[in-house]
Amino acid sequence: MKNESEPTNQGRRDFLGAAAGLTAAAVAPGMMLHTVDSEAAAPTGGVSDAHRWGLLVDTSKCADGCTACVDACDQENGLNLQSQPLGDDELKWQNQRATWIRKVKLQDNLTGQVTNLPLMCQHCEHPPCVDVCPTGASFKRADGIVMVDRHTCIGCRYCMMACPYKARSFIHEQVDQKLTRAPRGKGCVESCNLCAHRLDTGDISTACADACSAEGHQALVFGDLKDPTGPLRQALAKKPNRQIRQDLGLNTGVRYAGI
Amino acid sequence: MAEVLSKGVLLAFLSVALGLSAMAKAEGVGDFVQPSSKAASVENCVEPTEYMRRNHFELIRHQRDETVYGGIRGAKHSLSGCVSCHVGYDSQGTPLEIDAEGQFCSSCHDYAAVEMNCFDCHATVPKGEAWNHEVAAVHAHPTGAAPLAATSAER
Amino acid sequence: MKRIVYREWLVEPQRYWGLLAMLAGVIAVGGLSALYMEHEGHWVTGMTNSVVWGTPHVFAVFLIIAASGALNVASIGTVFDKTAYKPLARLSGLLAVALLVGGLLVLVLDLGRPDRLLVAMTTYNFSSIFAWNIFLYSGFAAIVIGYLWTMAERKGNHLQKPVGTFAFLWRLALTTGTGSIFGFLVGREAYDTAILAPLFVVMSFAYGLAIYMLVLFYAFDADGRPIGPAMLKRLKNLLGLFVAAVLYFTLVYHLTKLYGAKNSDIEAFLLINGGLYTALFWVGWVLIGGLIPLGIIYHPELNKQRDWIATASALVVAGGLAAMYVIIIGSQAYPQEMFPGHSVIQFGAPGDVGGRVAPYSPSFPELLLGLGGVGVALLITAVGIRVLQFLPESLADRDVDPHASARHA
Ligand code: SF4
Ligand code: SF4
């Protein structure tokens, strides 16, 4: 399967890449504006491409029925503050509410073996969501985190069409309650941002990985893909792992062992 | 961006107008700082008050891009800083929404009839701000050593 | 050849104002629906995180591709020098602009943040096909208006051919672009193919012409202008050709998909076991939008009667909407395949769909918004032909192309 579709998709990538290159030239000066002058006393020096944040999911450790990571994410990002609009259908609401991370249970068609895993934005190196976004609201930070600039998102949902992982959610309802660290509002698209607010304050962790460890499962390892001695790279070296839809050649930042 | 820009321009015009009228009416107009807020007890805003009246939006918008693209949080000009300092409290010590009628942001914006949509998305009271502010320092860990205990979430 | 005389639409005032009032009503209801959806948020629609583009997109995409198709009649006259089509050109240009405006309006009003339209028009991401389309659409409107000017103004007449040719090329790019909006989505099985772009082009030919014919027949009927049998024959033959081409490309699309063995599941879904979507494909897209109109068009008796040809056109339009529904919604409802060789037995919360077909049922506001867009297109057309000289006085054969009618007589 991999061999079959790689060339086409890569060709398409190259085409888009070339187009993107042209843009980059035009946009780069603008981007610079964002990174210079940080007179502000920030807890960290800001985002840099010295890091690329990622996760390793060890599916063999992911427990059936456990939702610690999902609950932690909801709490961390204020997603637990969502409330079903009056009059909305219960099942429909579950498909409309924002979900940044979800538990997925798979069964091997041949062996019947069951696998559990958490699925979130895979923080692609070549993110289709960023390629398609008409306004550039979907973007990739220098440290590899893919997120939405909610100030420019027009809510066209094209990124949701493009994401191969169903990682993104559209905010379907008015948002009454939100946290200071995680602003969110009706009409924009959002997805996992690897707890960027933590990283930016120097806390190298994510809510999901912390929660998984606290439960004693250790199925999630968060860290820097560029740091050869860091916990993530060490974990990656120990276990054979792959990307979901590796055939698409997106080089995701989230890797899975045991699928 | 352009919307913001045009709003900024509009705002600039209006604040000039406001500034002028404030001068005419002396101190009365423009003093919308809530007595119960932290701001009431400090000498100055992060910049001189007159400057802030006219240019706060420029500063906030600039900081916005720094934060979103550059990951610079909790800086001097961040909106969450405005909220935490300017939010008023009721007699029980519960924070009042900053964009509620009569509170800091809206009393002036209503007066100047300038629409404000920061709070479509941003929190109107300091809420779960642990990761944006001073408190964050307490949780900061050295690179690579992810903490075991759940540092997550609202407490 | 006789000079073609154009006249404002001379329908009686009651009928004209009645029509306008009706269209205004449709538009108002559509506008209110948009306001309602915008105020409440999209939860009031049938759209979810699985089916993110709903009925408004069905109408919007249909109107936009029909817009570029409606321009064809003019192109045939100008670019390919078919004299007989020249009198039809002005209406063709007007309809193209009107349909485009209607479609874009629906598209914009379905955004999560329509208030940020200015953002969409000022910050571009040039690797996004969608952003390119914004240029293609606005450019199209500008070029067609210029094209109309060259037709109407004697001073501009000599420019008609180059401008017309440019407009023709632009419209091809536009439909290809619209098709590519879907064609570049690698993560969706149904879309990931290059054939979508040409399929959209032939669809635009067919739907645009069908709408054109319906409008033409209605307008001519209303103030008693004649359409000659040769003209009728020409138009219906053209429609027949386009409809056949749609069917042909549909076949090619499914064959390419079937050929790539890993796509056989989505093919089975669309063609055999997709429930509503399968039904819409066979009954709507193929039968109502293809075979029945072809039957009428090539029926030796029926194809001489204007009413039957109008029926065929209406069926093509209905089939077109069904086709858009299958392409846009069916392909989203079909689960994204992330784990080959595995079955997804749980995906988040129970209603959070993954690994199985996502439910979607259009809500009323969505439908009304879509119809509002159609209303806008028709209102622009009605007012346009009423106040300006868009319609030729007569399409009787001797007025259009004396030689042709002599031959056929
Ligand atoms: S997983 Fe989806 S949302 Fe995340 S970067 Fe990749 S394409 Fe974008
Ligand atoms: S919904 Fe927002 S982030 Fe997604 S493609 Fe549209 S503008 Fe970009």
Side-chain angles (χ1 to χ4, degrees):
Chain A
M1 179 178 123
K2 182 183 173 181
N3 303 340
E4 186 195 325
S5 45
E6 194 123 357
T8 33
N9 289 318
Q10 207 46 55
R12 195 164 292 171
R13 285 250 87 67
D14 292 345
F15 164 76
L16 290 173
L22 285 174
T23 335
V27 172
M31 294 297 285
M32 286 316 183
L33 283 179
H34 302 314
T35 44
V36 287
D37 108 277
S38 33
E39 7 100 64
T44 64
V47 171
S48 105
D49 61 2
H51 307 286
R52 180 171 179 219
W53 305 112
L55 279 163
L56 172 66
V57 181
D58 186 344
T59 57
S60 63
K61 294 182 183 163
C62 180
D64 202 345
C66 169
T67 55
C69 54
V70 180
D71 301 338
C73 176
D74 279 4
Q75 294 248 316
E76 180 80 13
N77 296 296
L79 303 181
N80 57 336
L81 303 173
Q82 298 177 90
S83 56
Q84 179 178 350
L86 213 66
D88 201 9
D89 175 75
E90 172 67 32
L91 286 181
K92 193 170 109 189
W93 167 242
Q94 285 174 4
N95 204 2
Q96 285 180 329
R97 81 187 286 280
T99 308
W100 291 11
I101 178 171
R102 46 171 70 89
K103 279 294 296 282
V104 176
K105 194 193 285 191
L106 303 173
Q107 185 164 38
D108 192 309
N109 290 343
L110 213 58
T111 64
Q113 198 205 339
V114 171
T115 312
N116 285 285
L117 55 89
L119 183 70
M120 71 295 277
C121 170
Q122 305 287 298
H123 298 280
C124 312
E125 186 191 351
H126 309 291
C129 57
V130 172
D131 284 343
V132 301
C133 175
T135 63
S138 275
F139 72 103
K140 190 176 66 166
R141 302 205 318 183
D143 59 3
I145 297 182
V146 176
M147 50 188 229
V148 177
D149 179 355
R150 297 171 201 255
H151 305 100
T152 41
C153 172
I154 54 173
C156 69
R157 321 192 281 292
Y158 195 18
C159 53
M160 301 177 73
M161 294 287 283
C163 173
Y165 306 99
K166 202 181 177 234
R168 298 206 147 184
S169 300
F170 179 65
I171 304 179
H172 286 82
E173 75 292 349
Q174 284 169 343
V175 175
D176 299 325
Q177 300 201 59
K178 52 251 166 176
L179 302 179
T180 302
R181 60 172 173 254
R184 54 192 302 276
K186 183 189 73 184
C188 290
V189 166
E190 59 183 5
S191 57
C192 157
N193 58 10
L194 288 179
C195 291
H197 55 274
R198 287 187 175 206
L199 296 169
D200 294 344
T201 46
D203 180 1
I204 313 300
S205 68
T206 62
C208 53
D210 281 2
C212 188
S213 300
E215 286 289 305
H217 300 306
Q218 258 98 18
L220 284 163
V221 180
F222 174 74
D224 186 353
L225 284 163
K226 285 188 174 166
D227 177 5
T229 59
L232 179 57
R233 285 280 290 273
Q234 309 229 309
L236 283 168
K238 273 192 219 111
K239 281 239 168 190
N241 58 80
R242 60 189 298 275
Q243 309 165 34
I244 299 176
R245 294 286 329 245
Q246 189 144 358
D247 57 310
L248 295 176
L250 305 177
N251 191 14
T252 57
V254 180
R255 305 297 171 96
Y256 290 81
I259 53 162
Chain B
M1 192 74 77
E3 183 209 35
V4 168
L5 208 85
S6 60
K7 283 213 171 118
V9 171
L10 194 68
L11 190 69
F13 273 120
L14 283 165
S15 29
V16 168
L18 184 67
L20 289 177
S21 64
M23 244 179 273
K25 294 192 209 161
E27 280 303 81
V29 172
D31 192 17
F32 293 113
V33 171
Q34 298 296 303
S36 58
S37 68
K38 200 165 114 195
S41 64
V42 294
E43 189 72 16
N44 245 40
C45 194
V46 289
E47 303 292 343
T49 308
E50 265 316 302
Y51 183 81
M52 285 311 281
R53 277 193 191 141
R54 283 167 206 193
N55 301 311
H56 64 282
F57 190 67
E58 298 306 313
L59 298 178
I60 294 171
R61 195 179 42 155
H62 181 75
Q63 180 56 43
R64 162 193 117 180
D65 290 342
E66 297 263 306
T67 306
V68 174
Y69 295 91
I72 311 277
R73 282 172 210 257
K76 193 163 132 193
H77 295 151
S78 71
L79 181 67
S80 59
C82 308
V83 175
S84 65
C85 194
H86 278 285
V87 74
Y89 294 86
D90 67 8
S91 49
Q92 267 84 53
T94 319
L96 301 162
E97 300 200 271
I98 198 162
D99 65 336
E101 212 185 311
Q103 294 300 306
F104 181 69
C105 292
S106 31
S107 45
C108 190
H109 273 260
D110 287 349
Y111 179 82
V114 177
E115 203 196 322
M116 180 176 52
N117 47 28
C118 307
F119 300 106
D120 288 1
C121 295
H122 285 278
T124 50
V125 292
K127 191 175 197 178
E129 60 183 335
W131 299 103
N132 291 10
H133 286 294
E134 309 89 65
V135 201
V138 182
H139 297 271
H141 305 282
T143 313
L148 261 184
T151 55
S152 65
E154 276 272 51
R155 281 148 237 268
Chain C
M1 189 184 128
K2 270 168 88 173
R3 227 186 107 224
I4 309 153
V5 184
Y6 294 90
R7 277 262 182 288
E8 293 86 348
W9 196 27
L10 296 173
V11 63
E12 324 82 84
Q14 294 107 306
R15 191 160 173 195
Y16 174 68
W17 289 108
L19 178 70
L20 286 203
M22 202 187 76
L23 291 174
V26 171
I27 296 169
V29 172
L32 286 176
S33 315
L35 267 180
Y36 170 65
M37 288 190 280
E38 154 72 354
H39 178 76
E40 286 288 333
H42 272 64
W43 71 268
V44 295
T45 70
M47 289 176 244
T48 60
N49 288 329
S50 302
V51 177
V52 302
W53 286 352
T55 309
H57 272 79
V58 171
F59 278 91
V61 175
F62 179 80
L63 287 172
I64 289 168
I65 63 169
S68 59
L71 193 66
N72 260 353
V73 180
S75 304
I76 295 171
T78 322
V79 184
F80 302 105
D81 281 325
K82 295 272 192 279
T83 328
Y85 286 91
K86 287 223 163 117
L88 300 171
R90 291 189 184 181
L91 176 63
S92 161
L94 174 68
L95 203 55
V97 174
L99 291 169
L100 185 75
V101 170
L104 285 182
L105 217 55
V106 175
L107 203 63
V108 164
L109 290 176
D110 185 49
L111 291 177
R113 306 280 321 225
D115 52 317
R116 292 204 181 138
L117 187 59
L118 258 176
V119 174
M121 313 238 271
T122 48
T123 51
Y124 287 110
N125 165 17
F126 287 95
S127 66
S128 168
I129 289 283
F130 213 98
W132 282 106
N133 274 291
I134 300 177
F135 280 119
L136 287 171
Y137 298 152
S138 40
F140 181 76
I143 291 168
V144 173
I145 289 170
Y147 186 24
L148 280 172
W149 177 79
T150 64
M151 290 189 241
E153 174 64 53
R154 196 150 313 144
K155 274 183 291 179
N157 272 347
H158 65 285
L159 288 173
Q160 195 173 335
K161 179 129 191 190
V163 176
T165 312
F166 190 55
F168 177 69
L169 294 176
W170 194 277
R171 60 121 2 251
L172 286 183
L174 183 138
T175 327
T176 312
T178 311
S180 304
I181 285 187
F182 299 96
F184 275 105
L185 299 174
V186 292
R188 305 249 175 201
E189 324 305 320
Y191 297 140
D192 190 9
T193 169
I195 193 87
L196 266 185
L199 177 64
F200 268 61
V201 172
V202 289
M203 283 178 155
S204 81
F205 286 167
Y207 308 155
L209 183 62
I211 294 180
Y212 181 91
M213 286 165 68
L214 285 173
V215 169
L216 182 78
F217 293 165
Y218 177 79
F220 267 51
D221 228 25
D223 67 350
R225 302 184 200 210
I227 301 178
M231 178 56 91
L232 202 60
K233 187 168 173 195
R234 225 177 261 128
L235 286 173
K236 70 108 178 118
N237 281 345
L238 197 61
L239 185 66
L241 184 73
F242 291 161
V243 170
V246 170
L247 286 179
Y248 172 75
F249 272 91
T250 308
L251 184 71
V252 175
Y253 168 81
H254 288 292
L255 287 180
T256 24
K257 279 278 152 194
L258 280 170
Y259 182 72
K262 70 163 181 151
N263 290 311
S264 52
D265 290 350
I266 172 83
E267 277 305 293
F269 174 72
L270 291 177
L271 302 182
I272 301 162
N273 54 20
L276 173 70
Y277 303 105
T278 304
L280 275 177
F281 174 76
W282 289 110
V283 179
W285 184 341
V286 175
L287 196 64
I288 295 183
L291 296 177
I292 298 181
L294 279 184
I296 296 174
I297 289 165
Y298 292 110
H299 189 283
E301 290 306 315
L302 300 183
N303 75 5
K304 295 203 180 57
Q305 300 169 36
R306 195 205 285 184
D307 287 347
W308 276 102
I309 296 177
T311 309
S313 308
L315 290 176
V316 171
V317 171
L321 284 167
M324 287 298 125
Y325 198 91
V326 173
I327 291 180
I328 295 175
I329 295 177
S331 312
Q332 292 178 82
Y334 185 75
Q336 291 178 283
E337 278 163 13
M338 289 178 233
F339 307 98
H342 292 79
S343 309
V344 177
I345 44 185
Q346 192 199 319
F347 195 86
D352 183 8
V353 182
R356 62 185 168 89
V357 177
Y360 169 81
S361 41
S363 64
F364 264 111
E366 289 173 75
L367 192 67
L368 296 175
L369 171 60
L371 290 174
V374 178
V376 169
L378 294 179
L379 185 81
I380 295 176
T381 313
V383 174
I385 58 176
R386 174 79 171 188
V387 299
L388 294 171
Q389 300 172 342
F390 276 105
L391 294 181
E393 188 129 76
S394 155
L395 286 176
D397 293 339
R398 67 192 134 68
D399 293 323
V400 176
D401 190 353
H403 313 291
S405 61
R407 268 203 310 278
H408 287 293

